């Protein structure tokens, strides 16, 4: 989980299981305060009525976007993992305040690492159902190549190098894919939706600012599809070489990418 440092400032109530006030400061110096169960932010029983406040605590958060303000890297986060604060509220915090601790969540990962999760899962699904058509194998290879694309010339050569990256609603698969999908009794529309989601984890954010929720939604689409065939998403813990807080897109090295690909 991504963690944001905060403070427990006072004991509020002995009502079970005990409530405290917690707070943190955003990048603009605004202090945000919440009433929360002591056990939510305290795994070591440091918070109780007789504690000497303030007590340092960590608050689990989930990234939304990354901004640059006057040379300072700012992450926009919510407090959804532990249900703290108002639903849908986001907060801008300095990147250097954020840290990571177990357990791993998909939202912790960079976009490239999320793409790796989807690619490993999709390849496992293809193997499970026996779909080994070349067009999908080469699409996976193309998306793996994005992990180490470096520089504008390499990007231009990579970007337009696979026919299935432009697969849209109403546009059929190439005949070899359609024929094998039909022969295996798979629903072509469902497979198309999964392939589009697989592509859009990367392609959906290539131009303009990236929102974390975009790639997470596409990853979930892939996972929901493969799970219907008994193949769950590959665990996030296997892809921690590239975290959102290390750079939203991530820049995994060749060794990390090789380890990820071996997960298939």
């Amino acid at each position: 989980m991504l963690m944001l440092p905060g403070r427990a400032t006072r004991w509020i109530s002995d009502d079970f299981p005990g409530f405290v006030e917690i707070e943190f400061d955003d990048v603009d110096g605004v202090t945000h305060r919440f009433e929360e169960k002591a056990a939510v932010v305290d795994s070591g029983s440091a918070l109780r009525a007789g504690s000497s406040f303030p007590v340092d605590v960590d608050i689990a958060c989930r990234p939304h976007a990354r901004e640059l303000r006057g040379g300072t890297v700012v992450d926009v986060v919510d407090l959804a993992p532990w249900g703290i604060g108002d639903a849908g509220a986001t907060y801008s915090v300095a990147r250097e305040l954020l840290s990571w601790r177990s357990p791993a969540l998909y939202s912790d990962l960079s976009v490239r690492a999320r793409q790796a999760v989807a690619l490993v899962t999709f390849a496992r699904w293809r193997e499970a159902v026996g779909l080994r058509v070349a067009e999908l194998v080469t699409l996976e290879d193309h998306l793996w190549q994005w992990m180490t694309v470096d520089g504008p010339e390499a990007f231009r050569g990579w970007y337009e190098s696979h026919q299935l990256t432009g697969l849209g609603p109403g546009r059929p698969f190439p005949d070899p894919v359609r024929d094998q999908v039909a022969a295996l009794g798979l629903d072509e529309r469902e497979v198309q939706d999964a392939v589009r989601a697989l592509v859009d984890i990367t392609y959906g954010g290539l131009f303009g600012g990236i929102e974390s929720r975009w790639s997470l939604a596409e990853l979930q689409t892939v996972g929901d599809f493969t799970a219907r065939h008994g193949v769950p998403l590959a665990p996030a813990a296997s892809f921690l070489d590239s975290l959102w807080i290390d750079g939203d897109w991530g820049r995994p090295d060749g060794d990390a990418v090789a380890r990820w690909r071996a997960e298939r």
Side-chain angles (χ1 to χ4, degrees), residues 36-111:
E36 191 50 72
K37 301 178 185 69
V40 169
V41 293
D42 175 28
S43 60
S45 301
L47 297 179
R48 50 191 179 274
S51 296
S52 179
F53 292 96
V55 176
D56 291 338
V57 297
D58 285 323
I59 305 167
C61 61
R62 182 177 61 179
H64 280 245
R66 170 160 288 196
E67 304 170 353
L68 190 63
R69 296 190 190 177
T72 299
V73 177
V74 174
D75 275 298
V76 180
V77 302
D78 67 30
L79 309 182
W82 290 347
I84 294 175
D86 297 329
T90 60
Y91 310 91
S92 297
V93 297
R95 156 63 188 95
E96 61 264 23
L97 294 181
L98 297 174
S99 60
W100 183 88
R101 79 178 187 206
S102 182
L105 306 178
Y106 296 113
S107 58
D108 298 341
L109 306 179
S110 72
V111 177

Side-chain angles (χ1 to χ4, degrees), residues 5-24:
R7 304 171 294 278
T9 53
R10 65 187 178 95
W11 188 260
I12 293 176
S13 171
D14 291 328
D15 292 345
F16 183 81
F19 290 83
V20 293
E21 180 180 77
I22 60 173
E23 65 180 38
F24 69 89

